[in-house]
């Protein structure tokens, strides 16, 4: 099983560990930060799987209508609910004519720096982890935030793109069919553009967005500084997520 492989958590299709990726002098630590699709279908087996992993917090990037329609099935488990809505990932935003994945990702990075700051700051606190970052598919909002976490702690850009690209195979089949029917039931026309936005994770799209990110004065660190994720937060995140050889 590779670092980007889905883990067997019942009720999910895209539950993965951000651990196992090489960094200079070590690798990312397993069992600290997970990424996932929505957690509304867990059932008893899925709930037990999360409990066994010792989860402390769930960082939910969905907006309120999404949360109301598909509430996380974690009531009574004692997990901390950390909610930071990123609207440019909902079905309504995805259905906007002419809007592509790259547009969504740039909006997350450059218009939602408040969410970037909040999520990375929370993940740098030991009391937050083990934590799950999730949205609906665990692809776009979760994918961009997961990429930032991995890049911040020193994971190579190609490995980050591998992690992002792995989502598409996980969403194929029943999940994609269910989401297509859900969109249609809301009166949304499922065009090829919308289907791609909902189910695909093309490597070249995130790669082009990361080029823009690194073009910010000061590169990645300059971007993080401008978003309010300063050197102290970055170092705490590295200490938590990286295990040295």
């Amino acid at each position: 099983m590779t670092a980007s492989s889905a883990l067997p958590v019942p009720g999910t299709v895209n539950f993965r560990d951000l651990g196992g990726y090489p960094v200079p002098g070590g690798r990312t630590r397993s069992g600290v930060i997970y990424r996932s699709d929505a957690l509304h279908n867990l059932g008893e087996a899925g709930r037990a799987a999360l409990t066994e992993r010792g989860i402390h917090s769930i960082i939910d990037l969905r907006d309120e209508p999404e949360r109301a329609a598909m509430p996380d099935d974690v009531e009574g488990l004692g997990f901390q609910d950390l909610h930071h809505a990123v609207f440019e990932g909902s079905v309504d935003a995805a259905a906007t004519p002419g809007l592509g994945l790259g547009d969504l990702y740039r909006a997350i990075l450059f218009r939602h720096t408040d969410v970037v700051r909040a999520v990375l700051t929370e993940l740098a606190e030991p009391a937050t982890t083990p934590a799950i970052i999730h949205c609906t598919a665990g692809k776009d909002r979760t994918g961009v935030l997961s990429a930032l976490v991995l890049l911040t702690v020193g994971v190579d850009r190609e490995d980050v793109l591998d992690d992002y690209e792995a989502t598409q195979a996980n969403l194929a089949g029943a999940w994609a069919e269910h989401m297509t029917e859900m969109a249609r039931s809301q009166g949304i026309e499922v065009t090829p553009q919308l289907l791609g936005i909902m189910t695909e994770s093309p490597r070249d799209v995130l790669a082009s967005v990361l080029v823009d990110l690194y073009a910010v004065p000061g590169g990645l660190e300059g971007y993080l500084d401008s978003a309010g994720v300063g050197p102290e937060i970055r170092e705490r995140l590295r200490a938590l997520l990286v295990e040295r050889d």
Side-chain angles (χ1 to χ4, degrees):
M1 181 175 287
T2 65
S4 59
S5 297
L7 299 174
V9 174
T12 71
V13 298
N14 195 26
F15 190 99
R16 290 185 273 145
D17 194 329
L18 293 189
Y21 286 108
V23 300
R27 62 186 53 251
T28 54
R29 196 186 311 274
S30 297
V32 177
I33 301 174
Y34 298 96
R35 55 174 297 176
S36 183
D37 51 313
L39 304 174
H40 60 293
N41 281 329
L42 291 174
E44 288 306 312
R47 287 161 58 87
L50 297 192
T51 300
E52 289 169 6
R53 293 183 184 279
I55 300 300
H56 286 180
S57 308
I58 295 176
I59 298 177
D60 189 345
L61 303 175
R62 300 174 300 167
D63 60 29
E64 287 295 354
E66 291 173 285
R67 282 163 58 91
M70 298 185 294
D72 287 345
D73 183 19
V74 295
E75 185 176 356
L77 298 183
F79 301 159
Q80 184 179 18
D81 177 26
L82 301 172
H83 177 219
H84 303 290
V86 180
F87 294 97
E88 280 84 1
S90 65
V91 171
D92 288 342
T96 303
L99 195 68
L101 284 175
D103 301 311
L104 296 178
Y105 298 171
R106 289 178 179 89
I108 294 168
L109 285 172
F110 298 111
R111 289 174 46 193
H112 287 285
T113 53
D114 57 330
V115 174
V116 170
R117 178 174 60 254
V119 170
L120 268 65
T121 299
E122 288 166 353
L123 290 174
E125 295 297 330
T128 302
T129 56
I132 303 168
I133 310 172
H134 85 88
C135 50
T136 297
K139 177 174 79 75
D140 303 317
R141 293 164 285 185
T142 299
V144 170
L145 268 296
S146 296
L148 275 179
V149 169
L150 293 174
L151 291 168
T152 298
V153 302
V155 175
D156 183 78
R157 203 183 310 190
E158 292 302 313
D159 288 333
V160 171
L161 293 173
D162 287 344
D163 183 79
Y164 165 76
E165 191 176 29
T167 289
Q168 185 164 324
N170 294 338
L171 299 184
W175 188 95
E177 292 168 7
H178 172 71
M179 292 305 295
T180 299
E181 289 307 311
M182 182 179 295
R184 290 195 178 108
S185 72
Q186 297 175 15
I188 298 172
E189 181 185 1
V190 181
T191 63
Q193 172 207 343
L194 178 57
L195 186 61
I197 286 178
M198 289 197 306
T199 64
E200 296 176 3
S201 54
R203 185 187 193 92
D204 60 331
V205 171
L206 183 59
S208 70
V209 173
L210 293 185
V211 169
D212 291 348
L213 175 65
Y214 278 85
V216 170
L220 174 65
E221 292 189 349
Y223 166 80
L224 291 170
D225 284 338
S226 69
V229 184
E232 182 181 347
I233 297 171
R234 301 197 295 264
E235 186 51 43
R236 290 206 309 266
L237 184 60
R238 291 186 194 107
L240 192 65
L241 190 54
V242 172
E243 55 184 359
R244 301 296 176 185
D245 292 337

